[in-house]
Amino acid sequence: MPTALLFVLLFSTYPFRIEASSPWDSVEPPDTSRWLCTLCPFRDGWSGTLDVGPGYVNGSSNRYADYRGLDEKGAFAAVNGEAHFRDDADRYVDIYIDRLGLDSRSITTRGGTRGRYQLRLSYREIPRYRGYGTATVYTGTGTGHLGLPDNWQKAPTTDGMSSLESSLTPTSLETLRKTLEGGLSWKLASRWKADMDVTHETKDGSRPFGAGLFTINTSQFPVPVVYRTDRLDLGLQYSTQKARVRFGFAGSWFDNGATSITWENPFSSAPEFNLLRASLPPDNEFYQFTLQGAFAPRPGVRLNGRASLGRMRQNDPLLPYTINPEYQQLNLPRDSADLRIDTGVLNIAGSLFARLASRLDLSANVKFDQRENHSPVDIWTIILTDFIPGGERSNRPYNFERAQYRLELNYRATRPVTLRAGATQENYERTLQSVRKTDERLYWGEVYFNQWSAGQLRLRLETANRDASPYQQVDETGLIENPLMRKFNYANRDSDRAIIELNLFPSAAWSVNLSWSRTQADYTESRVGLQQSEEENFSIDAGMSLGRGISLAVYASRDDISSILSGFEQGVQTPWSGYTDDRTSTFGLSFSGKASKTLTWSLDWTHANSTGEISVVSGPGDAPFPDLRTRFGNLRAQLNYAINPRWGLAFTVEYESLSTSNWQIDGIGPAGISNVLTLGNISPRYYITQVRTQASYRF
């Protein structure tokens, strides 16, 4: 060992000090308060980013504004950011803000002391738009009573409503959901933990509604949305090294500020049918107690389960049978709903995992679910749409019991090959339904190859069948169902599914993923109803690095969903057949790179095209309906420039287009159907460009 190095090692461990003058003594130490560490995993004090700047959108469309909140042409504020605080005492604060200048804004905060407690508070808004080109003749929109203009001319059909065009007023069918959430979690003792979450949600605006006078005429109009929902979740948890138990309570209270809607009949009719009324969603409440836990008695064995009991209540005052004065003498069996439903869920071995051998694992699940409707049963007099007496009928407080059993085996045959197999059984029993019992079984097998470092392959096959008890008419007065009809979710069914997934990694620079699946279901014993359905999906995506900080990702997918169904119209000898075929293709590209140390760029493009074909054949010469079409495109480009470690600039341009066609509403307008006064919906279409410039500050 060199003598100089030995000298340094010996004296570096000896506690001595040399005092001497140095030319560096007169130099002040550097100011590190503004130094920025970009790789430090932990920091004390405050840190974060803030992105602020103007934005501009060159058009307006309700469909484009959905969930975004950009419903008007012009400038807006683009504000996003996050802030974090940490100190040596394990105290922390996290703040996240997103889209602060728009109606889709959200703010989330949390903080506390690690391992002791956490406080949470968040607020978010979600705008939703349902009307595209909608207009109404009604006055008083937003209230519980809709009237007609003073100059309104009633007629038997829309063709005779002479003041219709002049009375139309554009109507925006939109809602704004506001959610305020708060929560607290704290550690009570070494093994105990409690948590509480409170949510208050409001939803205000309007939505479309339609009703009328039996099959004679119908009107569409906006109804008010004044929803208030409060939720409370409480939990107490006890944990040990091998077990965990949690007791929880959840409560929900819903209040509707608009319990009914009354509107004037725009069609000419007898005086007793001039005013119509319908109920809106009633107030309700729900409570649930939950007990769940997990237990690991030894390595390789893990058991967890969950049990819950709940109750739903609805006891709003009932409206009279009808607003028609001709039937005002009819008395209700009771003044309020007095509805009560009890629910129960029990997971036995909710997720039992056991290692049977060094290469063999077992997973099992057993679940029982039931619903007991304790609502009283009464005989009600039916008045169909305030017009025609429909006899007497009792309400159906139906119940159900469901049992699910699942078993899965996982066998590592060799180092690169894994075999999996499983079975699922579901037994469903109902009361007061057309089908009282269904038994459904699913069997599947899967092989997974991981032979090569450059690829993985997964093959899976599934087969399932459902057996239903004899279909029968529910024993009550009222409308009689066709005895040959089978509801698809109750009917006997055989289905098969195949899945192939291939992942290739030829080099560290690029990868390719391919997947294909096909599902076919046959309802061979259904003479009226769904006969067959088929779904096929293929997708491919690839990613590659082109060097010098440039990366490219491309993807494409194709979905095809088709079905065959049959129907029977009363009084017609020949049944009809229906055929549907929905095809969706999606393509995308993502391109990004680094032009220099301070300038990065990205380009993203997405295109989707869907076509829906519907044809109904009831006799020779029946032509199919026009295709339903949707074409969507989005192109987004962004530049990011780092001025210094703290300041940066971002410039974003986004172009989005949507073109749709729907024969059910296109070209019809408010008066296109003689006995229906509609809101005049049209298929959405837009071409909008959005520009944002943001300054980014990092602290």
Side-chain angles (χ1 to χ4, degrees):
M1 180 178 292
T3 304
L5 180 58
L6 178 62
F7 180 86
V8 171
L9 291 175
L10 288 174
F11 284 93
S12 64
T13 59
Y14 189 82
F16 72 100
R17 182 177 63 184
I18 299 176
E19 295 182 358
S21 60
S22 169
W24 301 104
D25 290 346
S26 58
V27 178
E28 296 183 0
D31 180 10
T32 62
S33 61
R34 300 180 61 84
W35 287 14
L36 186 65
C37 178
T38 59
L39 300 177
C40 298
F42 304 103
R43 298 185 61 194
D44 292 336
W46 285 95
S47 63
T49 59
L50 181 63
D51 302 321
V52 181
Y56 179 81
V57 59
N58 72 338
S60 63
S61 167
N62 283 352
R63 186 61 177 268
Y64 180 80
D66 242 358
Y67 304 107
R68 286 186 172 103
L70 291 169
D71 59 330
E72 295 181 359
K73 175 183 177 180
F76 63 91
V79 182
N80 307 287
E82 59 183 77
H84 309 278
F85 173 81
R86 301 290 186 273
D87 67 8
D88 294 336
D90 286 334
R91 290 175 294 190
Y92 68 96
V93 176
D94 295 316
I95 303 173
Y96 302 90
I97 59 174
D98 185 40
R99 307 174 70 87
L100 195 60
L102 303 175
D103 287 341
S104 56
R105 62 181 62 88
S106 68
I107 304 175
T108 301
T109 63
R110 64 189 180 200
T113 301
R114 294 188 182 278
R116 294 181 58 189
Y117 72 93
Q118 183 190 75
L119 289 168
R120 300 176 293 275
L121 184 64
S122 67
Y123 174 80
R124 64 179 180 273
E125 296 182 0
I126 301 176
R128 184 78 170 90
Y129 301 89
R130 293 179 173 85
Y132 311 103
T134 51
T136 184
V137 300
Y138 282 102
T139 60
T141 56
T143 68
H145 184 94
L146 301 178
L148 293 169
D150 295 335
N151 63 339
W152 183 256
Q153 297 295 321
K154 291 189 175 185
T157 64
T158 56
D159 296 336
M161 297 176 179
S162 57
S163 56
L164 174 60
E165 291 295 330
S166 61
S167 301
L168 287 172
T169 302
T171 301
S172 179
L173 301 174
E174 60 184 80
T175 57
L176 181 61
R177 186 191 302 267
K178 300 179 181 180
T179 304
L180 178 64
E181 296 178 302
L184 170 64
S185 299
W186 68 98
K187 191 172 183 180
L188 303 177
S190 59
R191 300 183 184 275
W192 291 90
K193 180 183 177 182
D195 56 84
M196 177 180 67
D197 289 280
V198 180
T199 303
H200 176 68
E201 182 179 279
T202 65
K203 185 177 180 181
D204 296 289
S206 60
R207 64 180 180 89
F209 192 89
L213 202 62
F214 196 48
T215 58
I216 299 175
N217 54 61
T218 298
S219 303
Q220 294 181 351
F221 42 83
V223 297
V225 174
V226 192
Y227 297 165
R228 302 291 181 266
T229 305
D230 294 293
R231 291 189 294 270
L232 173 65
D233 290 279
L234 301 174
L236 182 63
Q237 179 175 302
Y238 177 79
S239 303
T240 66
Q241 188 174 3
K242 294 185 177 181
R244 175 180 57 83
V245 179
R246 185 181 187 275
F247 175 77
F249 168 80
S252 174
W253 298 265
F254 171 78
D255 176 75
N256 187 358
T259 58
S260 67
I261 183 71
T262 303
W263 70 99
E264 292 188 53
N265 187 359
F267 295 87
S268 57
S269 61
E272 59 267 27
F273 305 129
N274 283 338
L275 204 61
L276 304 173
R277 180 170 59 188
S279 63
L280 297 177
D283 301 346
N284 58 76
E285 57 190 39
F286 174 72
Y287 310 96
Q288 181 173 268
F289 295 92
T290 304
L291 179 65
Q292 60 187 25
F295 179 55
R298 62 182 180 86
V301 178
R302 185 172 64 253
L303 173 67
N304 62 65
R306 179 177 181 269
S308 65
L309 292 174
R311 173 168 293 179
M312 294 181 280
R313 293 295 306 268
Q314 197 276 98
N315 197 30
D316 262 14
L318 296 176
L319 295 176
Y321 281 120
T322 174
I323 201 172
N324 187 340
E326 183 178 349
Y327 303 106
Q328 285 185 350
Q329 76 280 2
L330 296 176
N331 295 320
L332 295 168
R334 54 182 185 267
D335 295 330
S336 61
D338 193 23
L339 305 180
R340 194 192 86 186
I341 297 175
D342 292 338
T343 62
V345 178
L346 176 62
N347 277 21
I348 301 177
S351 179
L352 172 62
F353 174 81
R355 178 152 294 171
L356 305 181
S358 60
R359 296 184 178 183
L360 182 63
D361 297 332
L362 167 70
S363 178
N365 176 276
V366 179
K367 179 180 179 180
F368 298 99
D369 186 8
Q370 69 176 12
R371 161 185 165 143
E372 296 182 1
N373 195 330
H374 298 285
S375 304
V377 179
D378 288 302
I379 303 299
W380 307 80
T381 302
I382 304 302
I383 306 297
L384 299 173
T385 63
D386 297 315
F387 181 40
I388 299 177
E392 294 183 338
R393 191 181 306 177
S394 61
N395 54 299
R396 294 185 186 180
Y398 70 90
N399 305 318
F400 71 78
E401 293 183 359
R402 178 173 54 187
Q404 295 175 304
Y405 310 91
R406 182 183 61 83
L407 182 68
E408 180 179 334
L409 291 172
N410 186 10
Y411 178 63
R412 294 173 295 280
T414 62
R415 185 180 183 89
V417 179
T418 300
L419 303 176
R420 300 187 180 99
T424 301
Q425 170 84 27
E426 181 181 83
N427 301 328
Y428 219 131
E429 294 188 12
R430 311 168 185 85
T431 63
L432 298 178
Q433 297 292 299
S434 302
V435 173
R436 307 303 168 89
K437 184 178 180 180
T438 56
D439 297 327
E440 188 163 357
R441 293 162 292 276
L442 168 68
Y443 306 98
W444 61 271
E446 180 178 298
V447 57
Y448 179 75
F449 297 94
N450 192 18
Q451 175 69 42
W452 331 278
S453 60
Q456 299 171 346
L457 176 64
R458 173 177 172 255
L459 306 174
R460 181 183 175 102
L461 295 176
E462 299 178 2
T463 183
N465 69 293
R466 180 172 62 208
D467 295 325
S469 62
Y471 209 88
Q472 54 187 315
Q473 174 72 28
V474 177
D475 186 16
E476 67 165 6
T477 58
L479 298 176
I480 304 299
E481 297 177 350
N482 189 322
L484 299 179
M485 185 186 71
R486 298 294 181 266
K487 299 175 183 178
F488 75 94
N489 57 321
Y490 292 164
N492 293 334
R493 182 192 66 189
D494 295 325
S495 65
D496 298 291
R497 187 183 189 195
I499 301 174
I500 301 176
E501 294 180 352
L502 177 62
N503 301 320
L504 299 175
F505 314 99
S507 69
W510 67 287
S511 63
V512 179
N513 303 313
L514 300 99
S515 68
W516 172 86
S517 67
R518 185 175 183 270
T519 304
Q520 180 172 334
D522 295 310
Y523 302 79
T524 55
E525 299 183 26
S526 296
R527 298 181 61 183
V528 176
L530 183 61
Q531 304 289 302
Q532 180 179 323
S533 65
E534 185 175 313
E535 180 176 352
E536 188 170 15
N537 169 268
F538 175 77
S539 65
I540 178 173
D541 62 87
M544 60 196 72
S545 176
L546 304 180
R548 297 186 179 183
I550 300 176
S551 61
L552 173 66
V554 295
Y555 63 89
S557 67
R558 170 68 180 256
D559 293 275
D560 197 334
I561 304 173
S562 60
S563 65
I564 303 174
L565 59 152
S566 65
F568 190 86
E569 186 177 352
Q570 185 176 1
V572 179
Q573 295 295 326
T574 306
W576 56 265
S577 298
Y579 304 88
T580 67
D581 190 3
D582 299 323
R583 298 182 302 275
T584 303
S585 301
T586 305
F587 309 93
L589 178 147
S590 180
F591 202 28
S592 63
K594 191 173 184 179
S596 65
K597 292 183 178 180
T598 58
L599 182 63
T600 60
W601 56 270
S602 65
L603 181 68
D604 297 279
W605 172 73
T606 301
H607 175 79
N609 187 26
S610 68
T611 303
E613 298 179 359
I614 303 175
S615 61
V616 177
V617 179
S618 58
D622 289 338
F625 292 103
D627 291 347
L628 304 172
R629 296 186 179 276
T630 299
R631 185 180 295 271
F632 172 82
N634 181 278
L635 180 63
R636 184 176 184 269
Q638 184 171 3
L639 288 174
N640 293 281
Y641 177 68
I643 301 174
N644 56 48
R646 291 191 179 275
W647 284 96
L649 290 175
F651 179 74
T652 306
V653 178
E654 182 177 15
Y655 172 78
E656 186 171 293
S657 64
L658 177 70
S659 176
T660 63
S661 62
N662 184 349
W663 58 266
Q664 300 174 81
I665 59 175
D666 290 340
I668 294 178
I673 305 174
S674 61
N675 64 338
V676 180
L677 179 60
T678 76
L679 286 166
N681 271 295
I682 60 175
S683 297
R685 176 176 296 184
Y686 62 79
Y687 306 90
I688 292 180
T689 300
Q690 180 189 156
V691 181
R692 296 194 308 272
T693 301
Q694 290 178 290
S696 178
Y697 176 68
R698 183 175 183 180
F699 56 94

